[in-house]
Structures are given as structure tokens and as C-alpha cells.
Amino acid sequence: MTGHRSKEHYVPLDSVRGIAALSVVVHHFVISEPLGAILPHKAWIDFAFFHNAWLFVDLFFVLSGIVISMSYVQGGFGTFEFREYIVRRLARIYPLHIVTLLAFLSFRMMKLGLVGIGLLHFVPSEMAVNNGYSFFLNVLLLQALGFIDYLSWNGPSWSISAEFYTYLVFGGVVVLAQKLRDVRIIFMMSLALLLASAAFILLVLRHYSLDFHTYGFARCILSFFLGVLTLKAVALVPVAVRPSVQAMWQIGAAMAAIAIVCVVGMQPMLSYLAPVIFAVLLGSLMAFPGRSLPSLLSVKPLVWLGKRSYSIYMVHALVLVLIEYFSRGAGLRTFQMVDQFGPGLAASLLLSGYVVAVLALSNLTYANIEMPGSKAIVGLLARRPRVVAAAEGGGQ
């Protein structure tokens, strides 16, 4: 069984997250209404795959369930400490979240100031309702818990909201299992939460597609705890599996994942099958780390992309807004002139510039906000050793 616990799978899983994050970046470009209205032709890679890449958010949730449970169930169940766990989860997501939120606030204030002095004509806000209430909810990461039914400010951050409160639920499950001294409680509770979430989405919310963000917390619960169960399933895979079968599982799952993203727009109910396919793909990468697909996913460019996947995801909406304003300023006539060299050239060049800008900015935020911010919060909130605390307390 130890063959399935090798840390070799970390790199391929991170690379998958990076590819998915980049696909979401392209997705928001190809569905942008302001860009669609001003660009004379679509970009050359404007395919169904990218139109439906919203589905990769559920891959993020499954992957989080795998990675989190790997750290706190497989590796440290007996020593799990709820406060430390929450501090580390908060440190991982909050610094970049609050910086991007403040960036959107600053941009909106600057725009309103320019409108006020007559240097800019009034245009709608980036999201339908960017007000004080939605800003407050964003600060507390509450925007995916049903308090509002619209995207606001840094729109993609709804999924970060959903994940954070799912982390809390998972932590409670681990604490319960630890008190009962039975790790199997985690997997039984994971199955129960997964089924309860599916029932809530279908019977109460009546969503027949996973393409929703209001009560996104329920959507995250479903896929996250499927990820937890995936870790258990991987541990049950026999070690002596023929190489041809291993390759078949990995390649078949990868092809199925691509196929379902391509067709989900025609059959929205298939979105409920997607987390299962993602779980099989990710599980196969973990179970069989020596195959060609994990090796391919371990090349340096994909490793680089995977490390910065969270930054890529969190900064791309702001870059897209800037691209949209640039496009308005350039005007339809400019893009028509470029498209004389080939239909779709203007959109493809703009898309390329957008992706490069996202990657460049995410590299900066990864190095200067995400990583140091995480360390700073852990350093500030982590519980100090009792011996040190006693020594600092003097004779009190």
C-alpha cells in the first residue's frame, strides 16, 4: 500500500490545477459580453471546451478534498489540531483574496472619481451589484453561503468562500473522528455529506446543472468530500496492476474529462458526472505515479503553472476588466483593421496579451503576496509553544 502514498503525485496534481486555472482564464475571455460586442470575430481557440470550462471549478473542489485529507487524515490524523488547521487554511487563501478585493475597490473608486471630474463617461460596474453590503460579505468570505444571489467584486472568489466554509466542516468531521478514535468516521461522514449536498441541490435548490454560485457552499461540499473518498479509494487499489491497465485508466479518464467539458453545454445534467470523472482522473494519477501521464505533467512549465494556479485564478478577473476597458478605448474600427489580415486575429492577439498579463501578474502576486502573506498570518496567529509562553509570562 505504500506505493500509493508516494509524494510523487503532488507535482502532477498541481499541474492539473494549473491547466484547469488557465482554462478558466480563457473561459472568461471567450464568454465576455463587452469583448463579444466589440470584437468583429471570435478568437481562433473559441471552442466549446473553453465555453464550458466553468466546470473546472468542481475539479478544484475535488482536488482540495484529496490534498486536504491527505495532509490531515492520511498523514496527521492522530495529531490534528483544529485551530492550527484553520489558521493554515486561512493563511493559504486570505492574503491574496483581500488584496484582489481591495484592488477591485480601488479600481471602482478611481473610475467613479474620473467620472465625477468628467474625464471618463459613466459605465456600469464590473459586477451587477458592487455595493457596501456585498463588499462586507466578500471580506468575511460569506458570498457563497446564500446571502446574495449574484456575483460581486472579484467574481471568481465565490469559490474561495465556498471552500473556506467547507474546510470548517471537514475540520469538524476530523475532530469528531478523532474523539471517537476511528478514522473510518471521516469517510462515512464524507459519504453522508456528499449525498446530503446532492439532495439539497437537486430537491431544494432545484439546480439541474452544477453551473451555479448562489449556495456554492453546497456545490463545494459535494465535490470536496468526493475528493476525500477518492483518497480512500486510491488506498484500496491493488499494487500489482498491469502497466497497460494503469495507462488505460489515466488516459481514459483524461479523455473522459475533456469530453464531458466539451459537451456539458448541450447536456447540463452531465455536470453531475464531471466530479466523478475528475476524481477518477486525479485518483489514477495518485495510484499510478510511474506512468507517462504523470511524467508529462511534471515538466517544468506545468510545474511553474501549478504553483501559481491560485494566483492565476484570483487575479485574472481584474486583468480581464482592464482588457475590456482597453478594448472599448481601441474601438471596433481598430479591431476591424487588424482582422483584415485574418478573421479572428484581433481577438486571438488580445487573448494572448490577456493570458500573458495574467501569468505575469500572478507570478508577482505569488512571490510578493500569496507566499509571504501566508507565512505572515501563520506567524501572527499560530499558537506559541507553551514553554515559550510561560517564559515570556515571567512570574505571573
Side-chain angles (χ1 to χ4, degrees), residues 27-43 46 51 320 323-324 327-328 332 335 339 347 350:
H27 162 72
H28 283 121
F29 182 95
V30 299
I31 68 166
S32 168
E33 292 183 5
L35 293 178
I38 202 166
L39 291 169
H41 296 92
K42 295 180 179 179
D46 189 352
H51 275 268
L320 182 59
I323 290 289
E324 289 170 346
S327 300
R328 290 191 188 100
L332 175 61
F335 294 124
D339 264 18
L350 193 63

Side-chain angles (χ1 to χ4, degrees), residues 150-366:
Y150 49 82
L151 291 175
S152 59
W153 301 100
N154 188 13
S157 69
W158 73 264
S159 64
I160 308 306
S161 161
E163 279 208 37
F164 179 70
Y165 290 96
T166 300
Y167 294 154
L168 293 180
V169 174
F170 176 77
V173 169
V174 176
V175 168
L176 175 63
Q178 198 165 243
K179 286 186 176 180
L180 296 176
R181 298 182 180 179
D182 191 348
V183 72
R184 293 174 299 177
I185 296 293
I186 295 174
F187 302 110
M188 290 187 288
M189 287 292 295
S190 294
L191 179 59
L193 286 164
L194 186 160
L195 295 175
S197 178
F200 178 74
I201 293 169
L202 290 169
L203 301 179
V204 179
L205 299 181
R206 296 186 180 276
H207 287 308
Y208 302 110
S209 166
L210 285 178
D211 188 12
F212 68 92
H213 52 82
T214 304
Y215 292 104
F217 175 55
R219 178 177 169 185
C220 185
I221 289 282
L222 189 156
S223 293
F224 181 96
F225 284 98
L226 177 61
V228 177
L229 293 173
T230 299
L231 183 67
K232 180 62 175 178
V234 168
L236 299 176
V237 175
V239 175
V241 177
R242 288 183 298 174
S244 59
V245 175
Q246 295 180 14
M248 180 188 71
W249 271 104
Q250 290 183 349
I251 295 172
M255 292 177 64
I258 294 170
I260 200 167
V261 173
C262 288
V263 304
V264 73
M266 296 180 288
Q267 294 291 337
M269 275 293 289
L270 286 176
S271 61
Y272 285 93
L273 183 59
V276 178
I277 294 175
F278 295 151
V280 172
L281 171 60
L282 297 170
S284 70
L285 295 175
M286 296 168 61
F288 314 123
R291 296 298 94 207
S292 57
L293 186 55
S295 298
L296 179 63
L297 290 168
S298 299
V299 298
K300 287 185 178 180
L302 293 183
V303 173
W304 185 94
L305 196 69
K307 286 182 178 179
R308 290 152 184 81
S309 57
Y310 179 55
S311 279
I312 290 170
Y313 183 74
M314 290 298 286
V315 306
H316 80 272
L318 181 60
V319 177
L320 182 59
V321 167
L322 297 176
I323 290 289
E324 289 170 346
Y325 273 88
F326 166 79
S327 300
R328 290 191 188 100
L332 175 61
R333 190 169 181 176
T334 301
F335 294 124
Q336 286 175 333
M337 290 174 58
V338 175
D339 264 18
Q340 290 178 358
F341 296 96
L345 177 60
S348 298
L349 290 174
L350 193 63
L351 172 59
S352 299
Y354 162 60
V355 170
V356 169
V358 168
L359 295 179
L361 180 58
S362 65
N363 190 48
L364 290 174
T365 57
Y366 173 78

Side-chain angles (χ1 to χ4, degrees), residues 138-154:
N138 274 262
V139 169
L140 297 182
L141 288 167
L142 292 168
Q143 63 269 39
L145 273 64
F147 293 101
I148 51 178
D149 60 359
Y150 49 82
L151 291 175
S152 59
W153 301 100
N154 188 13

Side-chain angles (χ1 to χ4, degrees), residues 14 17 87-97 99 303-312 314-315 361-380:
D14 282 347
R17 185 191 283 113
V87 166
R88 291 189 177 278
R89 291 299 89 213
L90 187 67
R92 178 71 182 88
I93 65 175
Y94 201 74
L96 188 55
H97 163 67
V99 168
V303 173
W304 185 94
L305 196 69
K307 286 182 178 179
R308 290 152 184 81
S309 57
Y310 179 55
S311 279
I312 290 170
M314 290 298 286
V315 306
L361 180 58
S362 65
N363 190 48
L364 290 174
T365 57
Y366 173 78
N368 297 292
I369 298 171
E370 186 181 339
M371 290 295 100
S374 178
K375 291 179 181 178
I377 288 184
V378 169
L380 180 66

Side-chain angles (χ1 to χ4, degrees), residues 2-21:
T2 56
H4 303 308
R5 297 189 180 186
S6 169
K7 291 189 177 180
E8 291 178 30
H9 63 264
Y10 280 125
V11 170
L13 293 188
D14 282 347
S15 295
V16 169
R17 185 191 283 113
I19 294 169

